[in-house]
Amino acid sequence: MNGIIIDEKAVLAAMPDALFITDAQDSIVSTNRSAQDLLGYQAEELIGVSLDAVISRTASASVSHIQDIEQAETYRSNNEYIVKNKTGKEISVLLAETALKNQVGETIGHAYITHNIADFIEREKEMLEIKQELQGLNGALIATLQHEKEMSARLEMLNEEIAESNRKLSVEIETRKRIEEELARSNTELEQFAYVASHDLREPLRMVTSYLQLLLKRYIANLDANAQEFFGFAMDGAARMNRLINDLLDYSRVGTKGGLFAPTECNDVISQAAKNLEVAIEEKNAAITCGSLPVLMADQNQLVQLFQNLLGNAIKFCKEKTPEVHVAAKQEERYWLFSVKDNGIGIAPEHRERIFQIFQRLHTREEYEGTGIGLAVCKRIVERHGGRIWVESEQGTGTIFWFTLPIKMAY
């Protein structure tokens, strides 16, 4: 080959992988330096030793591997084996085998090449550590959710105090000053809660999300499919937590961050709510109609939120047909009676009361998205305007949400 002389023995001796040459009985007749270093023996100590004494075949490897080689291909694919060195230490290796034949095709021995996979095993351990770290992050998310539940319980308690204070204010004029002070105290606590929800809850959530993104960026090349799925679960949980915090803030601000009452055209309110739901309306080709609605002294932004929540639910909870929603109002003796009627899936009678409670869901997140706060917000808005809200429905026949606003609020 162009005058180049290849020293085959020197090449084999310099191989980084261990080489074992055996006779027909699988007794070692020759090794290279890498094999001697792997086992910790001198070359002469290995001569005549059965290969089975130093290499243990896994359960998946055939005992009659020599016959397998002779009957199949000359060269066999890699299989995992265990090598025991002179000190008894077990080392995982990949083993490639080939039969050695004489000029007439008879098998006179075998050549075995082993590749140390200790580094690969170490990488597997690193992957396990990453998985454990992901489990720790998941635990942190669970703890954050538990903290949020405790804060929501406190919010419920504060809301009950405010409602009680407002009722006393209307019937106990002589104690007005004391009640106003109590209401101011409760409002201050509620505003403090809003700060906690927006800062103390969001900050650890941002930190968890940031570290999840950092871990994913740095280690995605080392993650298997399960680990990447765990990351997906964690990121999805953080996103749901963020939506829940935002909805909680909306709920807490109904009574404390509301605007001033001003003449409000309810037909314009419906138009604005429909515009905000434009994507959902187009996706389901929903039809929203309304009759002639009154002009009220009201907080326009909150009325938009009220109708947007009711219309959004009507569109969302309508399956296998085009959503049809109609808004109407009629004047009664002391109040305006509004109705929002749909052709959706309906609500079972036993659930009619609790749907207005915070965090109440009748369906799983896989069936319908949401946090279970929307109707609780509607109830608070209606009550702030001096009315009440209820529902009439049967499963499979659609739903009508009714609410009242006092006549004195009409413009």
Side-chain angles (χ1 to χ4, degrees):
M1 198 167 70
N2 295 330
I4 298 175
I5 300 175
I6 298 176
D7 188 340
E8 294 182 357
K9 289 186 178 181
V11 172
L12 294 177
M15 285 176 56
D17 290 331
L19 171 67
F20 299 88
I21 305 297
T22 67
D23 58 19
Q25 287 73 42
D26 240 6
S27 295
I28 298 173
V29 297
S30 178
T31 61
N32 68 350
R33 171 56 63 183
S34 295
Q36 297 157 23
D37 293 341
L38 178 67
L39 298 177
Y41 290 100
Q42 298 297 320
E44 57 272 14
E45 294 179 284
L46 293 171
I47 302 303
V49 176
S50 172
L51 190 70
D52 288 335
V54 294
I55 299 180
S56 300
R57 295 170 177 82
T58 61
S60 61
S62 171
V63 174
S64 59
H65 66 286
I66 299 177
Q67 290 80 359
D68 291 343
I69 297 173
E70 294 171 350
Q71 295 172 5
E73 300 293 335
T74 301
Y75 184 77
R76 183 172 181 172
S77 299
N78 289 338
N79 289 301
E80 186 175 343
Y81 289 76
I82 300 297
V83 172
K84 290 185 178 180
N85 66 12
K86 192 172 184 178
T87 65
K89 179 181 177 181
E90 294 185 348
I91 304 170
S92 295
V93 299
L94 293 179
L95 180 68
E97 314 169 34
T98 185
L100 303 178
K101 300 180 182 295
N102 58 18
Q103 294 179 346
V104 296
E106 297 174 336
T107 299
I108 60 173
H110 297 85
Y112 299 87
I113 297 175
T114 66
H115 179 69
N116 192 332
I117 58 173
D119 289 342
F120 176 77
I121 300 298
E122 184 63 27
R123 284 195 297 272
E124 284 189 328
K125 291 180 180 178
E126 292 177 358
M127 290 294 296
L128 179 59
E129 291 175 358
I130 292 174
K131 289 182 180 180
Q132 291 172 343
E133 189 170 355
L134 284 175
Q135 292 172 349
L137 289 172
N138 190 45
L141 280 175
I142 293 174
T144 301
L145 289 173
Q146 181 61 35
H147 182 56
E148 176 276 324
K149 289 182 180 179
E150 294 172 358
M151 296 300 293
S152 67
R154 184 184 175 194
L155 172 64
E156 189 74 19
M157 178 188 68
L158 292 173
N159 288 333
E160 292 174 358
E161 291 180 6
I162 293 173
E164 182 63 21
S165 296
N166 286 329
R167 284 191 295 268
K168 288 181 179 180
L169 185 61
S170 65
V171 296
E172 298 179 7
I173 303 300
E174 69 279 7
T175 59
R176 184 180 182 88
K177 183 177 180 179
R178 181 180 61 82
I179 296 300
E180 287 178 348
E181 291 174 352
E182 176 67 16
L183 183 59
R185 182 187 66 80
S186 297
N187 285 339
T188 298
E189 290 182 359
L190 190 57
E191 289 173 357
Q192 290 174 348
F193 169 79
Y195 175 80
V196 170
S198 63
H199 183 272
D200 290 359
L201 285 181
R202 282 178 171 174
E203 188 58 30
L205 182 61
R206 279 196 295 266
M207 182 176 293
V208 170
T209 303
S210 296
Y211 277 107
L212 282 173
Q213 294 171 342
L214 181 60
L215 281 172
L216 186 62
K217 180 179 180 181
R218 289 187 176 180
Y219 300 108
I220 188 171
N222 298 325
L223 298 178
D224 59 14
N226 286 336
Q228 293 186 31
E229 185 179 23
F230 293 159
F231 265 110
F233 290 156
M235 295 296 292
D236 181 62
R240 289 204 310 270
M241 182 64 180
N242 187 59
R243 289 194 298 269
L244 187 60
I245 290 173
N246 290 333
D247 286 350
L248 273 174
L249 286 173
D250 289 341
Y251 181 78
S252 68
R253 289 169 177 167
V254 169
T256 62
K257 301 294 183 182
L260 296 177
F261 286 13
T264 301
E265 172 61 66
C266 290
N267 284 97
D268 292 343
V269 168
I270 297 298
S271 298
Q272 182 61 51
K275 183 177 181 180
N276 295 344
L277 295 169
E278 184 175 0
V279 174
I281 291 173
E282 291 180 355
E283 285 180 350
K284 288 198 171 183
N285 195 27
I288 297 178
T289 59
C290 69
S292 178
L293 304 180
V295 178
L296 299 176
M297 290 292 293
D299 181 335
Q300 180 168 338
N301 289 335
Q302 288 192 350
L303 284 192
V304 170
Q305 186 175 15
L306 168 64
F307 280 105
Q308 183 174 325
N309 287 355
L310 294 176
L311 295 176
N313 280 352
I315 295 170
K316 178 169 63 174
F317 295 105
C318 185
K319 275 190 173 181
E320 301 176 354
K321 53 186 171 181
T322 300
E324 297 177 357
V325 191
H326 182 70
V327 181
K330 63 178 180 178
Q331 186 173 347
E332 300 290 344
E333 183 179 353
R334 293 177 298 172
Y335 51 79
W336 280 94
L337 178 62
F338 288 81
S339 63
V340 179
K341 182 179 180 181
D342 65 50
N343 62 337
I345 62 175
I347 302 171
E350 62 268 26
H351 300 314
R352 291 177 185 172
E353 292 298 326
R354 73 183 186 91
I355 60 173
F356 294 105
Q357 299 173 10
I358 194 169
F359 299 125
Q360 294 300 311
R361 294 176 53 89
L362 306 185
H363 307 276
T364 64
R365 289 188 177 88
E366 288 73 21
E367 294 176 303
Y368 299 99
E369 295 181 350
T371 58
I373 298 178
L375 288 177
V377 171
C378 291
K379 183 173 184 289
R380 292 208 67 199
I381 291 175
V382 170
E383 289 178 348
R384 180 182 179 238
H385 285 74
R388 66 185 186 94
I389 185 171
W390 68 96
V391 64
E392 293 179 0
S393 179
E394 294 291 341
Q395 283 186 300
T397 62
T399 300
I400 304 177
F401 279 94
W402 301 91
F403 64 91
T404 62
L405 295 177
I407 288 291
K408 64 181 180 180
M409 295 184 64
Y411 179 72

